[in-house]
């Protein structure tokens, strides 16, 4: 996040992808935007009214955002909004739909008991030229381990062999 980021709270601060942001935003002279209730309409309104640049959300919240009725959305978005999602792996179709609406989603996975995110699906510039469906499948992968977790491996579910972060996608 850059200095002056505007962060929308859609998950609790104690949550894996939440507990690093209160102090990060203070260090970056950022702004916190809190919602009374997380709804698609409230998310879109906060983006338009307050210039939200970032938020974290569970895949179910992303699903709510992409399936919101037209009268609850503000599209096109006034700018790209960066989103981090974690927990259960988000379906590629949800990641694709978020991308089509102007959100840039990073898929992470975390261990709240130990630290924030443990892995992040680091976007590669060469993915920009791939078909959107392939981009969605790539972004749904668990990704690259954080430096403090050198013992963590990502496995191909078909072969149960470790897969390098830039390795080929398993056949579906």
């Amino acid at each position: 996040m850059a200095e002056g980021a505007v962060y929308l709270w859609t998950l609790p601060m104690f949550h894996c992808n939440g507990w690093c942001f209160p102090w990060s935003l203070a260090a970056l002279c950022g702004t916190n935007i809190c919602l009374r209730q997380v709804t698609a309409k409230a998310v879109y309104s906060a983006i338009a009214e307050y210039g939200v640049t970032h938020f974290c959300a569970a895949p179910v919240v992303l699903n709510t955002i992409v399936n919101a009725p037209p009268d609850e959305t503000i599209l096109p978005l006034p700018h790209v909004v960066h989103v981090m999602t974690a927990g259960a792996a988000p379906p590629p179709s949800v990641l694709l739909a978020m991308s089509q609406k102007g959100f840039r989603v990073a898929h992470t996975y975390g261990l709240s008991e130990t630290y924030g995110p443990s892995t992040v699906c680091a976007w590669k510039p060469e993915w920009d030229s791939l078909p959107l469906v392939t981009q969605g499948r790539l972004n749904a992968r668990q990704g690259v381990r954080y430096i403090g977790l050198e013992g963590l491996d990502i496995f191909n579910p078909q072969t149960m062999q470790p897969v390098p972060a830039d390795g080929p996608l398993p056949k579906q």
Side-chain angles (χ1 to χ4, degrees), residues 38-53:
V38 179
T39 65
K41 185 175 184 173
V43 169
Y44 281 108
S45 295
I47 292 167
E49 187 174 343
Y50 302 111
V52 167
T53 58

Side-chain angles (χ1 to χ4, degrees), residues 58-118:
V60 67
V61 173
L62 303 186
N63 191 49
T64 299
I65 290 169
V66 299
N67 289 303
D71 64 325
E72 293 184 10
T73 65
I74 298 170
L75 294 171
L77 293 178
H79 54 270
V80 173
V81 177
H82 299 273
V83 181
M84 213 166 37
T85 191
S93 59
V94 171
L95 294 173
L96 172 62
M98 288 290 288
S99 174
Q100 291 171 326
K101 292 186 182 296
F103 296 93
R104 183 63 172 235
V105 182
H107 173 215
T108 65
Y109 180 78
L111 299 168
S112 294
E113 314 76 47
T114 60
Y115 173 67
S118 299

